Coordinates of all heavy atoms in Angstrom, one line a residue:
K15 N 120.7 105.2 98.8 CA 121.6 104.2 99.5 C 123.0 104.6 99.6 O 123.7 104.0 100.4 CB 121.4 102.8 98.8 CG 121.9 102.8 97.4 CD 121.7 101.4 96.8 CE 122.3 101.3 95.4 NZ 122.0 99.9 94.8
I16 N 123.5 105.5 98.7 CA 124.9 105.8 98.8 C 125.2 106.7 100.0 O 126.2 106.5 100.7 CB 125.4 106.5 97.5 CG1 125.3 105.6 96.3 CG2 126.8 107.1 97.6 CD1 125.6 106.2 94.9
T17 N 124.4 107.6 100.3 CA 124.6 108.6 101.4 C 123.8 108.2 102.6 O 124.2 108.5 103.8 CB 124.3 110.0 101.0 OG1 123.0 110.1 100.5 CG2 125.3 110.5 99.9
H18 N 122.7 107.6 102.5 CA 121.8 107.2 103.6 C 122.1 105.8 103.9 O 121.2 104.9 103.9 CB 120.3 107.5 103.2 CG 119.6 108.1 104.3 ND1 118.4 108.8 104.1 CD2 119.8 108.3 105.6 CE1 117.9 109.3 105.2 NE2 118.7 109.0 106.2
V19 N 123.3 105.5 104.3 CA 123.8 104.1 104.3 C 123.1 103.2 105.4 O 122.9 102.1 105.3 CB 125.3 104.0 104.5 CG1 126.0 104.5 103.3 CG2 125.7 104.9 105.7
N20 N 122.7 103.8 106.6 CA 122.1 103.1 107.6 C 120.6 103.2 107.7 O 120.0 102.9 108.7 CB 122.7 103.5 109.0 CG 124.2 103.1 109.1 OD1 124.5 102.0 108.7 ND2 125.0 103.9 109.8
Y21 N 120.0 103.8 106.7 CA 118.6 104.1 106.7 C 117.8 102.8 106.8 O 118.1 101.8 106.2 CB 118.2 104.7 105.4 CG 116.7 105.1 105.3 CD1 116.2 106.2 105.9 CD2 115.8 104.2 104.6 CE1 114.9 106.5 105.8 CE2 114.5 104.5 104.5 CZ 114.0 105.7 105.1 OH 112.7 106.0 105.1
T22 N 116.9 102.8 107.7 CA 116.0 101.6 108.0 C 114.6 102.0 107.7 O 114.0 102.9 108.4 CB 116.2 101.1 109.5 OG1 117.5 101.0 109.8 CG2 115.5 99.8 109.6
S23 N 114.0 101.4 106.8 CA 112.6 101.8 106.4 C 111.6 101.6 107.6 O 111.7 100.5 108.2 CB 112.1 100.9 105.2 OG 112.9 101.2 104.1
P24 N 110.8 102.5 107.8 CA 109.8 102.4 108.9 C 108.8 101.3 108.5 O 108.6 101.0 107.3 CB 109.1 103.8 109.0 CG 109.3 104.3 107.6 CD 110.6 103.9 107.1
L25 N 108.2 100.7 109.5 CA 107.2 99.6 109.2 C 105.9 99.9 109.9 O 105.8 100.7 110.9 CB 107.7 98.3 109.7 CG 109.1 97.9 109.3 CD1 109.6 96.6 110.1 CD2 109.1 97.5 107.8
V26 N 104.8 99.3 109.4 CA 103.6 99.2 110.2 C 103.2 97.8 110.3 O 103.2 97.0 109.3 CB 102.4 100.0 109.5 CG1 101.1 99.6 110.1 CG2 102.6 101.5 109.6
A27 N 103.0 97.3 111.6 CA 102.6 96.0 111.8 C 101.1 95.8 111.9 O 100.5 96.7 112.5 CB 103.3 95.5 113.1
M28 N 100.6 94.8 111.2 CA 99.2 94.6 111.2 C 98.9 93.2 112.0 O 99.4 92.2 111.5 CB 98.6 94.5 109.8 CG 99.0 95.8 109.0 SD 98.7 95.7 107.3 CE 99.8 94.4 106.7
H29 N 98.2 93.3 113.1 CA 98.0 92.1 113.9 C 96.6 91.6 113.7 O 95.7 92.2 114.2 CB 98.3 92.4 115.4 CG 98.4 91.2 116.2 ND1 98.4 91.3 117.6 CD2 98.5 89.9 115.9 CE1 98.6 90.1 118.1 NE2 98.6 89.2 117.1
F30 N 96.4 90.5 113.0 CA 95.1 90.0 112.6 C 94.6 89.1 113.8 O 94.8 87.9 113.8 CB 95.1 89.3 111.3 CG 95.4 90.2 110.1 CD1 96.8 90.4 109.7 CD2 94.4 90.9 109.5 CE1 97.1 91.3 108.7 CE2 94.7 91.7 108.4 CZ 96.0 91.9 108.0
T31 N 94.0 89.8 114.8 CA 93.6 89.1 116.0 C 92.3 88.3 115.9 O 92.1 87.5 116.8 CB 93.5 90.1 117.1 OG1 92.6 91.2 116.8 CG2 94.9 90.7 117.5
D32 N 91.5 88.6 114.9 CA 90.2 87.9 114.8 C 89.9 87.8 113.3 O 89.1 88.7 112.8 CB 89.1 88.6 115.6 CG 87.9 87.7 115.8 OD1 87.9 86.6 115.2 OD2 87.0 88.2 116.5
V33 N 90.3 86.8 112.7 CA 90.0 86.5 111.3 C 89.3 85.2 111.2 O 89.6 84.2 112.0 CB 91.3 86.6 110.4 CG1 92.3 85.5 110.8 CG2 91.0 86.4 108.9
K34 N 88.4 85.0 110.2 CA 87.6 83.8 110.1 C 88.5 82.6 109.9 O 89.4 82.7 109.0 CB 86.6 83.9 109.0 CG 85.7 82.8 108.8 CD 84.6 83.0 107.8 CE 83.6 81.8 107.7 NZ 82.6 82.1 106.6
K35 N 88.4 81.6 110.6 CA 89.2 80.4 110.5 C 88.7 79.4 109.5 O 87.5 79.4 109.1 CB 89.3 79.7 111.9 CG 89.8 80.5 113.1 CD 91.2 80.9 112.9 CE 91.8 81.6 114.1 NZ 91.1 82.8 114.5
N36 N 89.7 78.6 109.0 CA 89.4 77.6 108.0 C 88.7 78.2 106.8 O 87.7 77.6 106.2 CB 88.5 76.5 108.6 CG 89.2 75.7 109.7 OD1 90.4 75.4 109.6 ND2 88.5 75.5 110.8
Y37 N 89.2 79.3 106.3 CA 88.5 80.0 105.2 C 89.6 80.9 104.5 O 90.4 81.5 105.2 CB 87.4 80.8 105.7 CG 86.4 81.3 104.7 CD1 85.5 80.5 104.1 CD2 86.5 82.7 104.3 CE1 84.7 81.0 103.1 CE2 85.6 83.2 103.3 CZ 84.7 82.3 102.7 OH 83.9 82.8 101.8
L38 N 89.5 81.0 103.2 CA 90.3 81.9 102.5 C 89.8 83.3 102.6 O 88.7 83.6 102.0 CB 90.5 81.5 101.0 CG 91.3 80.2 100.7 CD1 91.1 79.8 99.3 CD2 92.7 80.4 101.1
V39 N 90.5 84.2 103.2 CA 90.0 85.6 103.4 C 90.9 86.6 102.6 O 92.1 86.8 102.9 CB 90.0 86.0 104.9 CG1 89.5 87.4 105.0 CG2 89.2 85.0 105.7
P40 N 90.4 87.1 101.5 CA 91.2 88.1 100.7 C 91.2 89.4 101.4 O 90.1 90.0 101.7 CB 90.4 88.1 99.4 CG 89.0 87.8 99.7 CD 89.1 86.8 100.9
I41 N 92.4 90.0 101.6 CA 92.5 91.2 102.4 C 93.2 92.3 101.6 O 94.2 92.0 100.9 CB 93.2 90.9 103.7 CG1 92.4 90.0 104.6 CG2 93.6 92.2 104.5 CD1 93.2 89.5 105.8
Q42 N 92.7 93.5 101.7 CA 93.4 94.6 101.1 C 93.8 95.6 102.2 O 93.0 96.1 102.9 CB 92.5 95.3 100.1 CG 93.1 96.6 99.5 CD 92.2 97.2 98.4 OE1 92.0 96.6 97.4 NE2 91.7 98.4 98.7
C43 N 95.1 95.9 102.2 CA 95.6 96.9 103.1 C 96.1 98.1 102.3 O 96.9 97.9 101.4 CB 96.8 96.3 104.0 SG 96.2 95.1 105.2
S44 N 95.7 99.3 102.7 CA 96.0 100.5 101.9 C 96.6 101.6 102.7 O 96.4 101.7 103.9 CB 94.7 101.0 101.3 OG 94.0 100.0 100.6
L45 N 97.4 102.4 102.0 CA 98.0 103.6 102.5 C 96.9 104.7 102.3 O 96.2 104.7 101.3 CB 99.2 104.0 101.8 CG 100.4 103.1 101.8 CD1 101.6 103.7 100.9 CD2 100.9 102.7 103.2
N46 N 96.9 105.6 103.3 CA 95.9 106.7 103.2 C 96.6 108.0 103.6 O 97.3 108.1 104.7 CB 94.7 106.5 104.2 CG 93.9 105.2 103.8 OD1 93.2 105.2 102.8 ND2 94.1 104.2 104.6
G47 N 96.5 109.0 102.8 CA 97.1 110.3 103.0 C 97.2 111.2 101.8 O 96.9 110.7 100.7
K48 N 97.5 112.4 102.0 CA 97.5 113.3 100.9 C 98.6 112.9 99.9 O 99.7 112.6 100.2 CB 97.8 114.8 101.4 CG 97.6 115.8 100.3 CD 97.8 117.2 100.9 CE 97.5 118.3 99.8 NZ 97.6 119.7 100.3
G49 N 98.2 112.9 98.6 CA 99.1 112.5 97.5 C 99.2 111.0 97.3 O 99.9 110.6 96.4

């Protein structure tokens, strides 16, 4: 933060377009990649 003052963290948006209604749905979103 001292030298990378304007750094803006990249984001991934997740658009839940079809999830069961009137119900508690536990969701796990994970990163995938080497390391």
Side-chain angles (χ1 to χ4, degrees):
K15 64 181 181 180
I16 294 178
T17 56
H18 224 158
V19 292
N20 290 325
Y21 182 81
T22 310
S23 296
L25 307 170
V26 165
M28 306 169 296
H29 193 190
F30 294 91
T31 54
D32 194 355
V33 62
K34 186 175 181 180
K35 302 296 191 297
N36 297 314
Y37 193 76
L38 290 171
V39 182
I41 295 171
Q42 174 176 296
C43 293
S44 305
L45 302 179
N46 299 286
K48 189 172 182 180

